[in-house]
Amino acid sequence: TLLPHATLYRALRIRREEELPVYERLGDVRELLVGRTNLAILLMQRGTKRDRTEVAHLLSQAYQAARDMQLPEADQIAALHQARFGRPIARTDDAAG
């Protein structure tokens, strides 16, 4: 379901400025990967070209964390990336930056 414009921007701000920093401080890798994936999905909903790099980076980070923890969500994140970009996801150790 697409969010109304103001709600989408509010959700993006909350995820970026409040949610992800907390998970980073706590060292909660699982919630961080979920938060990054959710942020990427919100950015995809916004649909601007300038978000492409951030979406790719967030999905790559989340994918690598899921692989490292051997979570089945890694396949879902890879499929999401494939659907959005039309190519397989690059592992963070393979990606530039």
Side-chain angles (χ1 to χ4, degrees):
T1 307
L2 293 179
L3 298 174
H5 184 74
T7 303
L8 175 61
Y9 278 82
R10 194 171 315 117
L12 285 167
R13 184 195 60 75
I14 289 168
R15 289 221 190 271
R16 275 192 183 120
E17 297 174 16
E18 297 176 23
E19 181 180 329
L20 292 181
V22 169
Y23 298 145
E24 288 171 349
R25 277 193 307 275
L26 293 173
D28 190 336
V29 178
R30 172 104 166 103
E31 288 304 318
L32 191 54
L33 87 85
V34 170
R36 285 175 172 156
T37 303
N38 288 333
L39 178 57
I41 291 167
L42 287 174
L43 290 168
M44 287 187 287
Q45 285 182 5
R46 184 163 71 176
T48 65
K49 288 184 179 182
R50 70 174 187 251
D51 294 330
R52 285 181 59 87
T53 300
E54 185 177 4
V55 168
H57 185 68
L58 289 165
L59 291 177
S60 182
Q61 289 177 310
Y63 172 73
Q64 190 60 49
R67 278 181 46 102
D68 290 348
M69 291 187 287
Q70 300 178 346
L71 298 174
E73 287 88 344
D75 292 336
Q76 295 170 332
I77 296 166
L80 184 61
H81 183 280
Q82 178 77 36
R84 177 67 173 106
F85 296 104
R87 59 182 162 74
I89 194 164
R91 291 176 35 175
T92 53
D93 56 344
D94 295 339

